[in-house]
RNA sequence: GCCGGAGUGGAGGAACGGAAGACUCGAUGGUCUCAAAAACCAUUGCCCCCUAAAGGCGUGUGGGUUCGAAUCCCACCUCCGGCACCA
C-alpha cells in the first residue's frame, strides 16, 4: 500500500462504479427529509469552462455534505439548450442548430461527469427536447388563458446583431446595449407577445419569504422601481383631460406649467396654430434622436410652448403647457405637472425658459424666494401658498408616510380631483423572439376567429427540421414554405402560425420543476415528485441574473400558482416545505463570484487568458481542481486565476495520500498529551469544517483540514500513528474531505477498510468535550498592549488568573509598585490591566 | 444623485469587540542531488538593529465609543456592481 497517488486511474474507476451502482440516484422517500440543492443550468456552448467548475464544484460539495448530514438530497443538472449561438453556428458553419446543440450536450455531459459531482443523471432535462418545450408552450397557453399573456403593437428594443427584439431587462448600460452581444439596441414598432409581470410588481417586492442576498433584493427592488403618489387630472382650457402622476401632490399649488412628452397623443390637437410649426419641428427632431441621446442625464433640457393652457385642479390657475423630451411617454401618463421650486429638472427648465418659480414648501430656518433661488428645494418644510393646507409639515418621507402628501391625497379623493396611485418602472416581459432555435409560440392567427391558442392535445408545436438560413439572419420559420400555414383549431379554415419563438429565459424559468420528472408526459412535472421535493432549498449561481432569470422565475412560480398548476401539490413534510413554496421557487440563494484570467481580466478567447479545465483535469486530476476551486478564493468574490496556487492543493492531496497509505510505525510509548492534542484537533476540525461549509466558506473549511493534516504529518512516524486516536484522525480527515474531493477519499476509505461508499457515511460527530482545550494561554495586556502571557488550566478561576498576572515580573516592572487602576479578566480570553 | 458591496503582508485570503496576518502561493537561506525538479527544514508585515533582546509603527483617511476596535458609531476617500431627466 505504498503506491503513489494516481488520480486519473482512481477517478475513472470510481466514477464508473458510482454510475453502475446509481449511487447518486435520488428518489422520493417520505421517511427521509428532503433537500433540493440547485446550481444554475449551463448553456451548451461547446465546452465546460472554468466558470462552470467554479460555480458547480462548491455547490456539489455542499450538496454532498448535506447528504452526509442525513438529508435525501436532490442535485440535478440539465441544459438551457435553446438560444442564439446555435443559430450563429448554423449560419457560419452550415451546421444544423439541433446537431450543433446536441453534439455540445454530449461533450459537456462527458465533461460534467469528469467533475465527479453527485448529479442525478436520470433527471437530466434539456430545454430544446420536444418533451420539454411541449410544457414550455403549455405554460404559454395557460398564461394566455388566464389573462397573463397578451399581444401588442409597441415600440420595442431590437438588437440589430441578434436580429431580434429583447426584453427591457436584457438591455444594459448607459448605451443601452444588448446583454448578449453588446450591440446598442434600436427601437422598432412591432406586434409582440408580453407577459404581465407588472401585475405582480408588489408581490415581487415582497422578499419576506426568502433568504436571498441583500444585493439581489436591492437590485430587484430598484428594477421594479415602485413609487407612491397621486393621480391628478388636469384639464386643458378646452376640456381635454390631462392626467398626471406625481409623487409630490403636496406641491400641486406650486405647479406653474405642464410638460408633455413629444409622443403624447394630445400634443397635435392642443397645439395652437401659431405654435404648430415650432412644435412639429420639435416633435420630429425628438423622434429622430435616439433614446440614448434623449436619456443622457447631463444633457441640457429643451422644449417648446404649445400655446395651450391647462387648469390646475387645486386652484383653477391657468398654466402654460409645454412639450419637452425630458418627459418620457413610457412612464406615468407621459405628461407631468412641473413644480420648478421643488424639482431639479423642472427648475432647470423653468430658468431656461423664464417660467415662474413658486415656493410652496418653506424649510425651517431659511426663507426661499422663487425669483432668486439658485436651485430647487426638494427637502422638508411647511406648506405655504397652498390654501387651507398652509402650515402642514412636509417631511422627507415618501408616499403617504409624508403628512403633507397624505393630507393632500385624501383631500383630492374627497374632492374627486385625483386619487392615491402607485407607479412602477417595471415593464411587462417581452417574450417574442424573431429567431428559429427556440420554443415556438403556440398561437395561431385566424382571419375569422382572431388569435387562437394551439389546443393542448396538439402540443408541442414542433420546430421544423428542414430549414434554411440566410445570411441576413432572418428567422427561417418566416421563410419556411409550409410550416406557418395551419387550419384554425376553431373553425378549420386556413390560418397562420405565430413564427416568433420564445425568449429562452422562459425555458429556464421553470426548469427546477422539470428536473423533478423530465420524462413525465401528462404534466409539466409529476405531482408526487413535486409534493416531496419542492421548493428548491438552496440555489446557487451568478449575480448577473439578478434582474433577469432570478426575477422571471419568481414571476413564473406566482403565475403558475394563479393558473392552478400547483392545485394537486400537497406538501409531504410541511416542516421543511414552507407555505411560500407556491410563491417562491427558491428559498435560499447564494451568488458565487467570477473566476478571472491570470491577468485579472475576464477570461476570453480574444484575450488569450482562458484556462481550460480539461487540461487541468488531465494534468492534476479532478479532485485537485475541485480542491483548488474551493481553497483559493472566497466563493462569493472569485478573483484571478493563479497557476502556481494549484500546487497547494496538489500537496494537500499528496500529503493526505501519504499519511493514509504509509505503513504504521511500531506501537510504543505515547505521551498522553500528544494523544489528546491530536484528538482535540480532530474534533475542533469537525466543527470548523461543518460551520464553514454551512456558511459557504469553503476556503476556511479546507484550511482547517490542512491544519489537521499538518499536525498528523508531524506525528506520522511516531508511535502516536499506531494508536486509536490516530485511526480516528485518519477516518475523520477522509470523511471531512469527502465532499470536496470525492474520489481520493473513496479510494483511501476503501483502503483503510471503510464500508462502501464513503459518500453514504454519516458526517462525523463533533464532541465538544474532546475539542475543549485543557490548557489555555492568556495574553496579559497593560493599557491595551500585550506585554506577556500566562498559561493556565482551562478551568482556572478569575481570582487565580488575576493573581498570576499581577505576579508576572514584567507586569510588576511596569506597575513600578503602584496598584493597578483596574484589572479585567475575561475567562478564556485575556487579562487586561489598566494602570 | 440614489441603492448595494469591498478596501488587511509581495499575492490569494484568516481573525464571536479580546494575541492582526490562520491556511495557501511566492520569495530568501539551507538539506538531498553531478545537476535540475520534487521533497524536506528554517525565515518571511514595516521601522530601529551586525544579530538578538527590548521597543516603536501597522487592517483606505480623520474623529469617536471602549480597559481593549480590522470588527461598533460619525464624517470622508478610492474601487466594483445596479438604477437614474422615472415626475
Amino acid at each position: 500500500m505504498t503506491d503513489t497517488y494516481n488520480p486519473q486511474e482512481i477517478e475513472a474507476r470510481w466514477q464508473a462504479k458510482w454510475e453502475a451502482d446509481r449511487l447518486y440516484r435520488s428518489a422520493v422517500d417520505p421517511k427521509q427529509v428532503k433537500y433540493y440543492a440547485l446550481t444554475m443550468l449551463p448553456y451548451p456552448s461547446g465546452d465546460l469552462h472554468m466558470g462552470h467548475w467554479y460555480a458547480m464544484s462548491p455547490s456539489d460539495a455542499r450538496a454532498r455534505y448535506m447528504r452526509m448530514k442525513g438529508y435525501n438530497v436532490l442535485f440535478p443538472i440539465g441544459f438551457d439548450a435553446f438560444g442564439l449561438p446555435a443559430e450563429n453556428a448554423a449560419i457560419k458553419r452550415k451546421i444544423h442548430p439541433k446537431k450543433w446543440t446536441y453534439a455540445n450536450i454530449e461533450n459537456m455531459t462527458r465533461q460534467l461527469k469528469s467533475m465527479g459531482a453527485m448529479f442525478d443523471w436520470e433527471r437530466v432535462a434539456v430545454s430544446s427536447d420536444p418533451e420539454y418545450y411541449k410544457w414550455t408552450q403549455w405554460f404559454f397557453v395557460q398564461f394566455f388563458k388566464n389573462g397573463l399573456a397578451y399581444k401588442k403593437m409597441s415600440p420595442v428594443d431590437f438588437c440589430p446583431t441578434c436580429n431580434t427584439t429583447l426584453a427591457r431587462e436584457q438591455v444594459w448600460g448607459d448605451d443601452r446595449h444588448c446583454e448578449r452581444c453588446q450591440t446598442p439596441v434600436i427601437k422598432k414598432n412591432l406586434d409582440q407577445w408580453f407577459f404581465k409581470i407588472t401585475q405582480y410588481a408588489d408581490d415581487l417586492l415582497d422578499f419576506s419569504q426568502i433568504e436571498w442576498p441583500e444585493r439581489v433584493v436591492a437590485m430587484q427592488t430598484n428594477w421594479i422601481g415602485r413609487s407612491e403618489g397621486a393621480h391628478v387630472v388636469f384639464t386643458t382650457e378646452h376640456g381635454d383631460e390631462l392626467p398626471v402622476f406625481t409623487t409630490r401632490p403636496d406641491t400641486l399649488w406650486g405647479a406653474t406649467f405642464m410638460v408633455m412628452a413629444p409622443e403624447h397623443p394630445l400634443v397635435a390637437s392642443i397645439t395652437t396654430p401659431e405654435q404648430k410649426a415650432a412644435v412639429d419641428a420639435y416633435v420630429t427632431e425628438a423622434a429622430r434622436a435616439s433614446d440614448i441621446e434623449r436619456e443622457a442625464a447631463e444633457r441640457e433640457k429643451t422644449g417648446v410652448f404649445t400655446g395651450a393652457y391647462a387648469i390646475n385642479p387645486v386652484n383653477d390657475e391657468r398654466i402654460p403647457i409645454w412639450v419637452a423630451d425630458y418627459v418620457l411617454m413610457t412612464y406615468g401618463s407621459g405628461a407631468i405637472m412641473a413644480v420648478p421650486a421643488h424639482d431639479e429638472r423642472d427648475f432647470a427648465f423653468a430658468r431656461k425658459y423664464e417660467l415662474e418659480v413658486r415656493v410652496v414648501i418653506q424649510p425651517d430656518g431659511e426663507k426661499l424666494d422663487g425669483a432668486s433661488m439658485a436651485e430647487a428645494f426638494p427637502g422638508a418644510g411647511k406648506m405655504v401658498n397652498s390654501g387651507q393646507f398652509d402650515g402642514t409639515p412636509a417631511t422627507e418621507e415618501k408616499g403617504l408616510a409624508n403628512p403633507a402628501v397624505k393630507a393632500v391625497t385624501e383631500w383630492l379623493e374627497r374632492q374627486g380631483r385625483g386619487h392615491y396611485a402607485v407607479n412602477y418602472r417595471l415593464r411587462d416581459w417581452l417574450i417574442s423572439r424573431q429567431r428559429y432555435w427556440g420554443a415556438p409560440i403556440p398561437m395561431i392567427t385566424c382571419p375569422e376567429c382572431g388569435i387562437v391558442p394551439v389546443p393542448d392535445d396538439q402540443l408541442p408545436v414542433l420546430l421544423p427540421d428542414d430549414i434554411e438560413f440566410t445570411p441576413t439572419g432572418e428567422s427561417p420559420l418566416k421563410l419556411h414554405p409550409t410550416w406557418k400555414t395551419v387550419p384554425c383549431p376553431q373553425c378549420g379554415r386556413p390560418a397562420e402560425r405565430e413564427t416568433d419563438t420564445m425568449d429562452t429565459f422562459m425555458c429556464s424559468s421553470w426548469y427546477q420543476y422539470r428536473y423533478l420528472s423530465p420524462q413525465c408526459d401528462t404534466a409539466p412535472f409529476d405531482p408526487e415528485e413535486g409534493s416531496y421535493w419542492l421548493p428548491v432549498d438552496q440555489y446557487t449561481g451568478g449575480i448577473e441574473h439578478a434582474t433577469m432569470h432570478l426575477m422571471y422565475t419568481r414571476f413564473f412560480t406566482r403565475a403558475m400558482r394563479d393558473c392552478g398548476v400547483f392545485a394537486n401539490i400537497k406538501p409531504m413534510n410541511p416542516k421543511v416545505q414552507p407555505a411560500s413554496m407556491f410563491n417562491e421557487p427558491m428559498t435560499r440563494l447564494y451568488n458565487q463570484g467570477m473566476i478571472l484570467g491570470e491577468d485579472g481580466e475576464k477570461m476570453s478567447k480574444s484575450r488569450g487568458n482562458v484556462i481550460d479545465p480539461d487540461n487541468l483535469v488531465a494534468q492534476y486530476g479532478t479532485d485537485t481542481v475541485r480542491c483548488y476551486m474551493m481553497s483559493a478564493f472566497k466563493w462569493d468574490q472569485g478573483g484571478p486565476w493563479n497557476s502556481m496556487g494549484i500546487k497547494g492543493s496538489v500537496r494537500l492531496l499528496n500529503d493526505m495520500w501519504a499519511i493514509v497509505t504509509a505503513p504504521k510505525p511500531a506501537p510504543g510509548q505515547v505521551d498522553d498529551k500528544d494523544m489528546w492534542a491530536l484528538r482535540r484537533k480532530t474534533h475542533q476540525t469537525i466543527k470548523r469544517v461543518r460551520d464553514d461549509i454551512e456558511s459557504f466558506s469553503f476556503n476556511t473549511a479546507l484550511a482547517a483540514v490542512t491544519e489537521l493534516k499538518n499536525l498528523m504529518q508531524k506525528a506520522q512516524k511516531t508511535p502516536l500513528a499506531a494508536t486509536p486516536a490516530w485511526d480516528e484522525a485518519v477516518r475523520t480527515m477522509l470523511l471531512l474531505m469527502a465532499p470536496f474531493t470525492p474520489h481520493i477519499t473513496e479510494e483511501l476509505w476503501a483502503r483503510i477498510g471503510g464500508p462502501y461508499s464513503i459518500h453514504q457515511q454519516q458526517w462525523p460527530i463533533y464532541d465538544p468535550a474532546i475539542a475543549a482545550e485543557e490548557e489555555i494561554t492568556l495574553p496579559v495586556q497593560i493599557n491595551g498592549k500585550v506585554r506577556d502571557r500566562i498559561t493556565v488550566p482551562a478551568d482556572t478561576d478569575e481570582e487565580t488568573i488575576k493573581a498570576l498576572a499581577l505576579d508576572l515580573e514584567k507586569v510588576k516592572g511596569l506597575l513600578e509598585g503602584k496598584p493597578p487602576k483596574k484589572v479585567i479578566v475575561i475567562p478564556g480570553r485575556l487579562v487586561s490591566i489598566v494602570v
Side-chain angles (χ1 to χ4, degrees), chain A residues 93-104:
Chain A
R93 296 191 268 144
K94 307 261 181 262
I95 311 170
H96 195 285
K98 187 191 261 182
K99 208 177 149 198
W100 183 86
T101 300
Y102 284 85
N104 287 348

Side-chain angles (χ1 to χ4, degrees), chain A residues 562-829:
Chain A
D562 293 345
C563 293
V565 177
F566 297 124
N568 51 1
I569 305 300
K570 302 277 175 287
M572 287 189 203
N573 186 352
K575 266 190 207 150
V576 296
Q577 293 174 284
S580 63
M581 64 188 274
F582 302 127
N583 306 327
E584 297 284 0
M586 297 104 181
T587 309
R588 278 170 296 271
L589 170 70
Y590 194 94
N591 297 112
Q592 82 275 353
M594 195 165 50
I595 201 102
L596 305 171
E598 203 137 14
D599 54 3
E601 300 290 330
K602 201 170 164 173
M603 282 191 197
S604 74
K605 279 189 193 134
S606 56
R607 277 205 190 84
N609 61 353
V610 175
I611 306 289
D612 174 25
D614 273 5
N615 289 344
L616 290 172
V617 171
Q619 191 179 349
Y620 300 106
T622 288
D623 281 336
T624 300
V625 179
R626 291 173 58 107
C627 187
Y628 180 55
M629 297 274 84
M630 290 184 255
S631 64
F633 310 88
K634 297 209 239 195
W635 199 38
D636 58 339
Q637 286 195 337
W641 180 263
N642 179 344
S643 49
M644 297 305 255
I646 197 166
K647 283 193 192 170
S649 301
V650 172
R651 285 183 191 135
L652 172 62
L653 296 197
N654 279 329
D655 291 349
M656 193 161 79
W657 182 271
I659 286 170
V660 180
T661 57
K664 279 203 177 191
Q669 199 67 35
V670 177
D671 193 335
D672 236 27
K673 247 186 157 170
D674 292 340
M675 191 272 283
W676 280 107
L678 178 61
R679 293 207 70 192
R680 192 156 55 235
K681 190 72 177 175
T682 301
H683 280 261
Q684 287 173 345
T685 307
I686 296 172
K687 177 171 160 41
R688 284 178 63 186
V689 174
R690 177 195 73 186
D691 292 351
D692 289 346
I693 293 182
E694 298 217 350
S695 58
F696 302 90
S697 186
F698 304 103
N699 56 341
T700 52
L702 285 164
V705 178
T706 306
E707 282 182 43
L708 174 64
K709 179 227 72 180
N710 287 346
L711 181 71
M712 291 173 75
Q713 218 169 7
K714 283 199 183 77
Q716 210 185 148
K717 293 194 173 106
T718 71
L720 180 58
T723 62
W726 176 266
D727 294 340
E728 180 192 32
V730 167
R731 276 196 312 275
T732 305
M733 179 173 68
L734 293 178
L735 290 166
L736 297 184
M737 283 298 285
F740 301 98
T741 54
H743 312 83
I744 185 176
T745 49
E746 184 81 287
E747 173 71 16
L748 292 173
W749 183 254
R751 289 184 182 217
I752 63 166
Y756 178 77
S757 156
I758 191 170
H759 304 298
Q760 288 169 305
Q761 303 305 307
Q762 199 190 49
W763 186 253
I765 292 165
Y766 154 70
D767 185 340
I770 298 171
E773 298 285 348
E774 287 175 346
E775 265 193 342
I776 47 172
T777 300
L778 301 176
V780 178
Q781 293 187 344
I782 295 175
N783 288 345
K785 296 220 185 295
V786 178
R787 297 298 175 174
D788 208 346
R789 343 195 116 95
I790 50 172
T791 301
V792 295
D795 55 357
T796 311
D797 64 85
E798 276 187 44
E799 282 308 310
T800 314
I801 292 171
K802 193 168 166 179
L804 281 169
L806 289 174
D807 202 42
L808 290 167
E809 285 307 318
K810 218 173 246 172
V811 172
K812 279 198 267 190
L814 281 155
L815 282 176
E816 294 165 338
K818 286 172 284 188
K821 218 188 244 171
K822 202 170 169 187
V823 180
I824 298 160
V825 178
I826 313 288
R829 282 285 175 201

Side-chain angles (χ1 to χ4, degrees), chain A residues 500-553:
Chain A
D500 283 351
T501 53
M502 293 183 228
D503 183 359
T504 56
F505 279 111
M506 169 102 183
C507 311
S508 56
S509 288
W510 71 282
Y511 76 107
Q512 66 271 26
Y513 298 106
R514 192 62 190 166
Y515 278 160
L516 302 177
S517 48
Q519 289 87 25
C520 182
D521 61 2
T522 52
F525 59 95
D526 183 282
E528 194 196 343
E529 298 272 345
S531 298
Y532 181 68
W533 293 110
L534 293 177
V536 172
D537 294 281
Q538 181 65 58
Y539 196 30
T540 60
I543 185 74
E544 66 275 14
H545 292 294
T547 55
M548 298 192 296
H549 164 64
L550 290 171
M551 199 176 60
Y552 296 144
T553 191

Side-chain angles (χ1 to χ4, degrees), chain A residues 7 24 51 143 148 154 195 198 282 305 387 438 479 598 656 669 758:
Chain A
Y24 303 122
F143 289 3
L148 295 173
S154 60
F195 284 158
T198 55
Y282 186 80
F305 179 43
L479 307 171
E598 203 137 14
M656 193 161 79
Q669 199 67 35
I758 191 170

Side-chain angles (χ1 to χ4, degrees), chain A residues 232-235 249-258 310-320 337-339 356 358-360 383-390 408 411-412 415 417:
Chain A
V232 184
V233 183
F234 283 62
T235 43
D250 55 324
T251 63
L252 264 161
W253 286 261
T256 50
F257 59 101
M258 290 190 77
I311 305 300
N312 183 337
V314 301
N315 56 12
D316 295 332
E317 255 185 35
R318 186 169 173 266
I319 55 175
M337 66 169 196
V339 184
E356 188 194 346
R358 187 191 303 164
V359 173
V360 290
M383 290 177 69
V384 296
N385 293 324
S386 302
Q388 77 264 39
F389 290 100
D390 284 0
V408 173
W411 177 79
L412 286 170
Q415 298 281 317
R417 300 181 205 201

